[in-house]
Amino acid sequence: MGLFSRQRPRHARRQAEPAAERAEPAAETVETVGPAAETAGRQEAGASAYEPEVVQGEVAASTRGLAKVYGHGDARVVALGGVDIAFEKGRFTAVMGPSGSGKSTLMHCAAGLDAPTAGQVFVGDTEIGALKDRQLTELRRDRIGFVFQAFNLIPTLTAEENILLPLSIAGRKPDPAWYDTVIDTVGLRDRLRHKPSELSGGQQQRVACARALVSKPQIIFADEPTGNLDSRSGAEILGFLRRSVDEFGQTIVMVTHDPVAAAYCDRVVFLADGQIVSELLSPGREAVLETMSHLDEMARARRESLPSGV
Ligand SMILES: Nc1ncnc2c1ncn2[C@@H]1O[C@H](COP(=O)(O)OP(=O)(O)OP(=O)(O)O)[C@@H](O)[C@H]1O
């Protein structure tokens, strides 16, 4: 069965709040339709190894057999052991897993920031391993948005200049109506002339989100975007990311350690030992926590199901 061929019912649109904060009990927030939920259920029972979810819609980015090995000999580390995953357009996906499980490596390879040891990465239909350096730089600039834990704003530029920087580097002007929509959505209209040092952490991250969104990228990769924020500012950022998926059809992939953050997502993918071992669709915080407590067993089942390691 091809990774991108099987169909399953579309998930219900999510609200701009985590499942755990809505009225229904967490267990009922986990969708049980489709192969992923069934597989995740079997995983939790330890019955068999995980099989990748099959996406139904257009794919924004994907990997096939993605492997990354660092070092040699005694220092050899298999950070990713052959990952197949597709990120569907217009979906908010969280990548979770223990420290060292390969989350950042997956994100960096998928975003063209790091080169894999083996396997392929596609952004849309473009295989990024086949691109020359300059083409890869342009792809990252024009088709991918980034939001980092440490905001990564230029301190000497105003909020507005930071937001427009990727477009200015590309020699492009923003679509005025879209720019207005983004600024109003992140609530930054009265802060546009401020430098990052004059903004709170939450406001700086909203600038970073606006910067990622303004060029209408095919996909946004967010690396622990709430990791440096208090829970209220974190909730604002997550609510904003959620809205940009629901209202603007943006595709977002977010690495997070936080089950509350994951509960804002349509899909949560779990890594352990450089392999995807499980996933949940629209889970609540409790379901995320429950799955995280079984990741070691799942990693073992996954290893045993493979013919040999990478
Ligand atoms: N540049 C590197 N050189 C050697 N090993 C590396 C390098 N980068 C990552 N690794 C190793 O690869 C594995 C996966 O690392 P990665 O940073 O992707 O994990 P992670 O899940 O993002 O961890 P964390 O949650 O702690 O950020 C780890 O064992 C890590 O030590």
Side-chain angles (χ1 to χ4, degrees), residues 70-71 75 77-79 97-106 224 255 257 271:
Y70 291 108
V77 176
V78 179
S99 180
S101 58
K103 302 180 297 294
S104 298
T105 306
L106 172 61
E224 297 206 47
V255 169
H257 285 105
L271 277 177

Side-chain angles (χ1 to χ4, degrees), residues 31-293:
E31 289 192 13
T32 52
V33 292
E38 289 161 19
T39 305
R42 288 203 307 275
Q43 280 289 315
E44 282 163 26
S48 68
Y50 166 79
E51 289 169 22
E53 162 69 344
V54 182
V55 306
Q56 66 153 5
E58 204 178 325
V59 172
S62 61
T63 72
R64 283 194 197 147
L66 180 63
K68 180 74 182 180
V69 179
Y70 291 108
H72 301 280
D74 288 348
R76 186 174 185 270
V77 176
V78 179
L80 292 176
V83 170
D84 294 325
I85 190 161
F87 298 111
E88 186 186 346
K89 205 171 163 210
R91 258 180 142 186
F92 191 2
T93 304
V95 178
M96 300 193 81
S99 180
S101 58
K103 302 180 297 294
S104 298
T105 306
L106 172 61
M107 204 183 84
H108 290 164
C109 289
L113 294 169
D114 200 356
T117 308
Q120 294 170 300
V121 173
F122 297 85
V123 173
D125 294 331
T126 308
E127 193 210 331
I128 67 175
L131 299 179
K132 297 190 169 62
D133 282 354
R134 185 178 165 165
Q135 293 171 311
L136 181 58
T137 303
E138 285 172 2
L139 175 132
R140 279 197 303 256
R141 187 189 68 201
D142 298 339
R143 293 169 61 185
I144 300 178
F146 295 96
V147 180
F148 299 97
Q149 181 174 355
F151 318 139
N152 291 19
L153 302 177
I154 308 281
T156 51
L157 300 182
T158 64
E160 181 167 48
E161 289 163 343
N162 268 288
I163 292 166
L164 295 175
L165 187 64
L167 286 175
S168 345
I169 290 172
R172 286 163 56 200
K173 292 217 180 313
D175 165 352
W178 176 241
Y179 176 75
D180 274 349
T181 302
V182 169
I183 297 304
D184 287 338
T185 307
V186 295
L188 280 170
R189 182 134 335 256
D190 59 347
R191 292 286 187 280
L192 289 175
R193 309 243 177 282
H194 291 234
K195 300 260 173 65
S197 61
E198 298 159 357
L199 299 172
S200 70
Q203 288 167 338
Q204 289 184 60
Q205 196 62 306
R206 284 194 264 151
V207 172
C209 289
R211 177 182 59 186
L213 267 178
V214 79
S215 61
K216 297 191 182 173
Q218 202 157 352
I219 187 163
I220 290 177
F221 290 99
D223 193 356
E224 297 206 47
T226 58
N228 278 347
L229 302 179
D230 60 46
S231 56
R232 184 159 162 258
S233 304
E236 277 172 12
I237 291 295
L238 291 162
F240 167 64
L241 294 175
R242 182 70 250 170
R243 282 182 61 199
S244 65
V245 171
D246 291 341
E247 293 175 23
F248 312 135
Q250 183 61 59
T251 307
I252 301 178
V253 176
M254 170 177 75
V255 169
T256 183
H257 285 105
D258 179 2
V260 173
Y264 281 79
C265 294
D266 301 307
R267 178 186 184 200
V268 183
V269 174
F270 295 89
L271 277 177
D273 255 359
Q275 302 280 356
I276 296 178
V277 293
S278 187
E279 68 176 71
L280 298 170
L281 299 182
S282 300
R285 187 182 72 97
E286 296 306 323
V288 172
L289 282 169
E290 166 70 11
T291 300
M292 286 173 79
S293 70

